[in-house]
Amino acid sequence: MSNRPKLSIIVPLHNEVESLPLLLPALHNALAKWGCEWEVICVDDGSRDDTWAQVVALATTDSRICGLRFTRNFGKEAAILAGLEAARGDWIVVMDGDGQHPPALLPKMLACAEDESVAIVAAKKRTRDADTWFARVLSRGFNRIMLAATGLDLQNACDYRLLKRPVVDALLRMPERIRFFRAMTVWTGFKQVDIEFDVLPRLAGQTAWSTRGLLSLAINGITGFSAQPLTLVFRLGFFGLAVSVALTAQAIWSWETGNAISGWTSLTIVMVFFGSANLLALGVLGAYIAQLFNEIKARPPYLVGSRVRV
């Protein structure tokens, strides 16, 4: 056999010291009948607990486990990128380290990947009952905006997916530093098969995602894949021009009829509306300028402080 494994599993980690020892045995059980070589790449995204020590300890007892440790927290997208760059497998799976992406689904994903015409096997959430009400509303709104603006359907999508080497090579050729993994894989256009699954409870600990982090991910995803919000601002300007013409006509009519005081309420409402619209437009422009600012600096998306067998 070649020294290159058939399968690489990328597991981004952030403060998962309790989950990791439970996740790896589940991976072993799921791949017990897998007849080819495989590896697990644990990417420690600047954990503040003993996650990295746990990775090192597990790697000393299992040669199939390797790891990268960032110098600080660079984010999940950077951890996925680091794993993709380090992966040696012909097939690459990305899954969360908290156990909510069930390892038991791997055999079904691998079976779908046996079809040579399939390049991506994507796990899709059957339900979102594990999410909060606000997270579900935010997710639905984001997915609808992405579909309308880019044509990319991310409904119930997640980062749990299997990619074949041509897809990974395409992702690594993309030069942007602000990345959105699940949307980028769909954008490549390779044939994708979807498999539904039920989100499991976390193996241990609490989620590291916050509302602010989810909003930031949504903004980066939309501005990174579509200029449609800028077009909407442009249309808002034309709408404002039409309203101003109508108000001018109304003011002239009031002056001609000697009733110039009328229209004060409507004028106040219009001023408040367009004052808010201007601030919103500045916010949209600022989001795109921030994207340009971060891309132009061309800093590396992550820095590795320690390695184990990578």
Side-chain angles (χ1 to χ4, degrees):
M1 291 181 59
S2 169
N3 289 328
R4 179 170 177 165
K6 177 71 173 181
L7 176 67
S8 295
I9 301 174
I10 300 169
V11 184
L13 301 169
H14 183 65
N15 298 333
E16 299 290 357
V17 65
E18 298 177 2
S19 300
L20 188 58
L22 303 175
L23 176 66
L24 291 179
L27 286 176
H28 281 78
N29 292 335
L31 298 173
K33 297 182 180 180
W34 176 250
C36 298
E37 187 181 354
W38 52 275
E39 65 177 356
V40 178
I41 303 174
C42 300
V43 184
D44 182 6
D45 183 23
S47 297
R48 295 184 299 275
D49 59 11
D50 293 328
T51 296
W52 179 246
Q54 188 70 255
V55 172
V56 174
L58 293 169
T60 58
T61 60
D62 191 338
S63 61
R64 291 172 295 191
I65 299 174
C66 49
L68 299 169
R69 185 188 190 189
F70 288 170
T71 56
R72 63 170 179 83
N73 178 243
F74 284 93
K76 183 180 179 182
E77 294 296 329
I80 293 175
L81 174 61
L84 294 176
E85 291 179 337
R88 299 177 297 137
D90 297 314
W91 296 357
I92 294 89
V93 169
V94 176
M95 66 186 304
D96 287 352
D98 56 13
Q100 291 191 298
H101 294 166
L105 191 65
L106 281 173
K108 188 174 182 179
M109 298 175 72
L110 294 169
C112 290
E114 294 289 351
D115 185 344
E116 294 184 357
S117 66
V118 174
I120 304 171
V121 181
K124 300 189 72 173
K125 299 178 181 179
R126 185 176 286 110
T127 61
R128 306 188 67 97
D129 295 337
D131 296 336
T132 64
W133 173 84
F134 181 76
R136 291 196 295 270
V137 171
L138 179 63
S139 176
R140 284 196 296 268
F142 168 72
N143 291 330
R144 289 173 181 173
I145 293 173
M146 283 291 291
L147 182 60
T150 68
L152 302 179
D153 186 4
L154 301 180
Q155 183 66 34
N156 293 330
C158 65
D159 293 330
Y160 191 16
R161 53 191 59 209
L162 182 152
L163 313 175
K164 292 186 177 178
R165 176 53 59 177
V167 183
V168 174
D169 291 341
L171 293 177
L172 295 180
R173 287 198 299 270
M174 298 181 187
E176 60 258 45
R177 286 162 174 78
I178 301 175
R179 306 173 73 87
F180 188 24
F181 170 70
R182 72 187 68 165
M184 293 171 76
T185 58
V186 176
W187 178 89
T188 60
F190 287 95
K191 183 177 179 179
Q192 175 176 311
V193 172
D194 296 333
I195 299 177
E196 289 189 335
F197 76 101
D198 294 317
V199 179
L200 300 178
R202 286 181 57 89
L203 293 173
Q206 300 293 325
T207 180
W209 283 103
S210 63
T211 301
R212 180 179 179 182
L214 292 172
L215 287 172
S216 177
L217 179 64
I219 292 172
N220 287 336
I222 294 171
T223 57
F225 277 84
S226 174
Q228 192 70 21
L230 293 175
T231 303
L232 293 177
V233 171
F234 184 70
R235 293 175 181 174
L236 181 62
F238 272 104
F239 175 71
L241 178 62
V243 172
S244 66
V245 171
L247 287 176
T248 300
Q250 190 265 350
I252 294 174
W253 173 257
S254 297
W255 180 76
E256 288 286 348
T257 58
N259 192 25
I261 194 64
S262 66
W264 181 88
T265 301
S266 61
L267 182 61
T268 301
I269 293 174
V270 169
M271 290 178 62
V272 172
F273 172 77
F274 280 103
S276 301
N278 284 332
L279 291 177
L280 176 62
L282 288 175
V284 171
L285 291 173
Y288 281 95
I289 292 173
Q291 286 267 16
L292 292 173
F293 175 71
N294 289 321
E295 293 289 350
I296 290 173
K297 286 189 296 186
R299 291 177 181 173
Y302 62 87
L303 295 174
V304 175
S306 305
R307 299 174 182 265
V308 174
R309 206 177 293 112
V310 178

